[in-house]
Amino acid sequence: LFSRPKKIENEKTFLDYAISVCDDVTRNLKVPIILLAQINREAKTGKKTRPTMDQIKGTGNLEQASTNILVLHRDFDNSPNVLDVYIYK
């Protein structure tokens, strides 16, 4: 969907660029876009079982541009058959 322009040097800059393009598409076409983000690996080693916004990769611009943020989480150790949905925004 996105080709990396030559002036973009790192992943964070590219993610910011991709998010701004998606934001423009949703505004111009008035259609929803669903973006998926990965939890940082450090989240597994922490004491918190519930994911937080700071654990989502590239959330700086994503959080600002989004209308809603839903986080799906499954605790495989304690409740492997339960999927929790957290609404952060």
Side-chain angles (χ1 to χ4, degrees), residues 73-85:
H73 177 257
R74 179 174 292 159
D75 184 356
F76 285 102
D77 296 329
N78 298 321
S79 303
N81 297 324
V82 176
L83 178 68
D84 296 321
V85 179

